[in-house]
Amino acid sequence: MENPFKNLDQPLQEVPQELKSKVMHDIAMAKLFMEIAELFSYNIGHIIESVTSKRKK
Protein backbone atom coordinates (compact mmCIF):
# COMPACT_ATOMS: atom_id res chain seq x y z
CA MET A 1 0.00 0.00 0.00
CA GLU A 2 1.36 3.38 -0.99
CA ASN A 3 1.83 6.06 1.66
CA PRO A 4 -0.60 8.91 0.77
CA PHE A 5 1.37 11.42 2.85
CA LYS A 6 4.22 11.31 0.34
CA ASN A 7 1.94 13.11 -2.13
CA LEU A 8 1.32 16.11 0.14
CA ASP A 9 4.21 18.14 -1.25
CA GLN A 10 3.11 17.60 -4.87
CA PRO A 11 1.41 20.47 -6.75
CA LEU A 12 -2.39 20.45 -6.72
CA GLN A 13 -4.22 19.04 -9.71
CA GLU A 14 -7.15 20.77 -11.38
CA VAL A 15 -10.56 19.22 -10.77
CA PRO A 16 -12.77 18.65 -13.84
CA GLN A 17 -15.46 21.31 -14.29
CA GLU A 18 -18.24 18.69 -14.38
CA LEU A 19 -17.22 17.40 -10.96
CA LYS A 20 -17.03 20.94 -9.54
CA SER A 21 -20.51 21.78 -10.79
CA LYS A 22 -21.95 18.50 -9.44
CA VAL A 23 -20.44 19.08 -5.99
CA MET A 24 -21.70 22.69 -5.89
CA HIS A 25 -25.17 21.54 -6.97
CA ASP A 26 -25.22 18.86 -4.25
CA ILE A 27 -24.18 21.41 -1.63
CA ALA A 28 -26.88 23.82 -2.76
CA MET A 29 -29.51 21.09 -2.57
CA ALA A 30 -28.39 20.07 0.93
CA LYS A 31 -28.56 23.70 2.05
CA LEU A 32 -32.05 24.04 0.55
CA PHE A 33 -33.27 20.92 2.38
CA MET A 34 -31.82 22.19 5.65
CA GLU A 35 -33.57 25.55 5.23
CA ILE A 36 -36.89 23.88 4.38
CA ALA A 37 -36.57 21.58 7.39
CA GLU A 38 -35.88 24.61 9.58
CA LEU A 39 -39.06 26.27 8.32
CA PHE A 40 -41.22 23.29 9.26
CA SER A 41 -39.59 22.36 12.57
CA TYR A 42 -39.66 23.94 15.98
CA ASN A 43 -36.74 26.01 17.14
CA ILE A 44 -36.36 24.30 20.53
CA GLY A 45 -33.78 26.78 21.81
CA HIS A 46 -36.06 29.73 21.13
CA ILE A 47 -39.04 27.97 22.76
CA ILE A 48 -37.06 27.20 25.94
CA GLU A 49 -35.72 30.74 26.10
CA SER A 50 -39.19 32.29 25.68
CA VAL A 51 -40.74 30.01 28.32
CA THR A 52 -38.04 30.72 30.89
CA SER A 53 -38.15 34.47 30.25
CA LYS A 54 -41.95 34.48 30.74
CA ARG A 55 -41.62 32.58 34.04
CA LYS A 56 -39.31 35.21 35.52
CA LYS A 57 -41.94 37.94 35.04
Side-chain angles (χ1 to χ4, degrees):
M1 180 176 219
E2 185 180 336
N3 186 354
F5 294 105
K6 290 184 179 180
N7 298 330
L8 286 178
D9 61 348
Q10 302 294 324
L12 296 177
Q13 296 178 352
E14 189 65 28
V15 177
Q17 187 62 33
E18 300 84 29
L19 183 60
K20 275 185 185 179
S21 63
K22 182 181 180 330
V23 168
M24 294 306 291
H25 179 264
D26 291 347
I27 291 172
M29 289 302 291
K31 185 176 179 183
L32 175 68
F33 288 141
M34 286 178 11
E35 290 174 355
I36 289 173
E38 184 179 349
L39 284 174
F40 292 104
S41 66
Y42 293 111
N43 187 348
I44 301 299
H46 177 70
I47 292 171
I48 292 172
E49 181 180 329
S50 66
V51 168
T52 56
S53 68
K54 289 179 183 176
R55 281 187 184 170
K56 292 177 185 176
K57 292 180 181 180

